[in-house]
Amino acid sequence: MDALNLPPFEYKITKSGTNNLIFDIIRRKYVVLTPEEWVRQHVVHYLINTLAYPKSLLSVERGANYNKLQKRSDLCVYNTEGKPHLLVECKAAHVPITQEVVKQVSIYNQTLQAPFLVITNGLQHYCWQVDFRTRQFQPLQDIPAFSPEGLNS
């Protein structure tokens, strides 16, 4: 797998037939190790180990309806009231972050209404704070660290 622009973490990999599997600490099971999953697992561990988000507030590939279509978020951090706080879209390292990707995730977030939006391919990371009232996206230098007070505002 590609080296990423995220801190390394201790991972567990096993094999099933021709597939490599990586242990997902959120779903508590081994999942197929794709290039996108490699990025997602790095982000999960970054949020927990570096930014101090409680593991219990993270959800991987949870479904939501948007325009009568079932969509799945790569990773969502919820606040303590169960509302989306931070939506993360992961792409494989070789996939460029284009305006089309940003648009796709922004449209999807209109349903979830997460105030923070992150798009990453493991090499490049983009984060915005979203104001749904004014429909403005404020670019942020970094993904906000966990703060119990900031989660429910």
Side-chain angles (χ1 to χ4, degrees):
M1 286 285 132
D2 293 322
L4 302 177
N5 186 13
L6 289 161
F9 66 98
E10 290 189 34
Y11 50 85
K12 298 177 192 171
I13 293 182
T14 190
K15 203 157 182 71
S16 176
T18 59
N19 291 325
N20 285 323
L21 307 175
I22 188 167
F23 189 76
D24 181 332
I25 63 170
I26 303 301
R27 292 177 276 187
R28 294 187 209 114
K29 66 180 185 177
Y30 282 93
V31 296
V32 175
L33 179 56
T34 63
E36 182 178 313
E37 190 63 44
W38 181 243
V39 172
R40 180 174 24 239
Q41 290 304 313
H42 274 77
V43 173
V44 164
H45 286 268
Y46 177 70
L47 291 172
I48 294 168
N49 299 331
T50 303
L51 299 182
Y53 282 94
K55 185 168 65 168
S56 61
L57 297 179
L58 276 70
S59 174
V60 174
E61 289 195 332
R62 178 166 288 176
N65 288 318
Y66 176 73
N67 282 345
K68 299 181 182 177
L69 297 172
Q70 182 70 17
K71 299 285 187 178
R72 290 191 177 275
S73 59
D74 280 334
L75 180 60
C76 189
V77 178
Y78 291 87
N79 66 22
T80 55
E81 296 170 350
K83 295 178 182 168
H85 174 72
L86 176 75
L87 178 65
V88 182
E89 175 68 20
C90 298
K91 298 294 183 188
H94 67 273
V95 176
I97 306 295
T98 64
Q99 187 62 36
E100 192 58 36
V101 171
V102 174
K103 181 180 175 185
Q104 168 198 355
V105 176
S106 300
I107 289 170
Y108 179 53
N109 193 37
Q110 289 176 6
T111 301
L112 291 179
Q113 301 270 307
F116 295 96
L117 186 59
V118 175
I119 303 174
T120 181
N121 63 6
L123 301 172
Q124 296 176 297
H125 322 289
Y126 299 96
C127 183
W128 297 270
Q129 185 167 11
V130 183
D131 184 330
F132 291 98
R133 189 179 47 77
T134 63
R135 297 182 181 218
Q136 297 293 311
F137 287 68
Q138 176 67 40
L140 301 177
Q141 207 58 23
D142 297 304
I143 300 170
F146 174 73
S147 163
E149 300 79 32
L151 277 180
N152 295 323
S153 56

